[in-house]
């Protein structure tokens, strides 16, 4: 990523992120067990690694390609990211459901 691309990035708005999380149903603190946190971290590192490969294939301005990937490899990497996203989302949804159930039983 070059300086002009970095300048174009929108800074993280924590208030909006909190509102988005609440709108998605994450209204309670989610606690992860150590193996769940490790699984989530592996998925995030994997997505980051694939993203870096895909970025290096196109180059910063799509003219100076650092490497060329075949269509099958490119699609495989994109599908891998989709699977990692689905796994991470499922883990977070399960943890959120558990937090909701725990809060509901505490209210009774």
């Amino acid at each position: 990523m070059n300086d002009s691309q970095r300048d174009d990035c929108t800074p993280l708005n924590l208030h909006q992120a909190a509102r988005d999380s609440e709108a998605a149903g994450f209204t309670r603190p989610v606690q992860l067990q150590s193996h769940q946190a490790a699984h989530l971290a592996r998925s995030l590192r994997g997505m980051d690694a694939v993203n870096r490969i895909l970025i290096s294939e196109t180059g910063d301005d799509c003219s100076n390609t650092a490497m060329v990937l075949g269509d099958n490899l490119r699609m495989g990497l994109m599908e891998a990211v989709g699977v990692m996203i689905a796994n991470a989302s499922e883990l977070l949804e399960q943890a959120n459901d558990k937090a909701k159930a725990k809060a509901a039983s505490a209210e009774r």
Side-chain angles (χ1 to χ4, degrees):
M1 180 179 290
N2 60 34
D3 289 337
S4 67
Q5 289 172 321
R6 193 173 296 110
D7 292 340
D8 291 341
C9 291
T10 305
L12 176 64
N13 181 332
L14 288 176
H15 295 289
Q16 185 61 46
R19 284 192 293 272
D20 292 344
S21 293
E22 187 174 348
F26 289 89
T27 57
R28 291 166 185 78
V30 174
Q31 295 180 345
L32 299 176
Q33 296 176 358
S34 61
H35 72 280
Q36 292 172 314
H39 177 80
L40 187 57
R42 281 192 305 271
S43 291
L44 293 172
R45 282 193 301 270
M47 285 184 267
D48 182 53
V50 171
N51 184 48
R52 290 173 187 267
I53 291 170
L54 292 172
I55 287 172
S56 69
E57 183 208 13
T58 59
D60 286 340
D61 62 359
C62 299
S63 65
N64 59 344
T65 302
M67 78 171 104
V68 176
L69 300 176
D71 290 339
N72 288 339
L73 182 56
R74 185 181 312 103
M75 285 306 299
L77 289 170
M78 292 169 68
E79 288 173 2
V81 169
V83 169
M84 287 182 275
I85 290 170
N87 288 340
S89 296
E90 182 180 349
L91 186 147
L92 290 173
E93 289 294 333
Q94 289 172 350
N96 191 42
D97 291 345
K98 186 176 178 180
K100 286 180 183 178
K102 185 177 178 180
S105 68
E107 290 174 359
R108 294 180 191 172

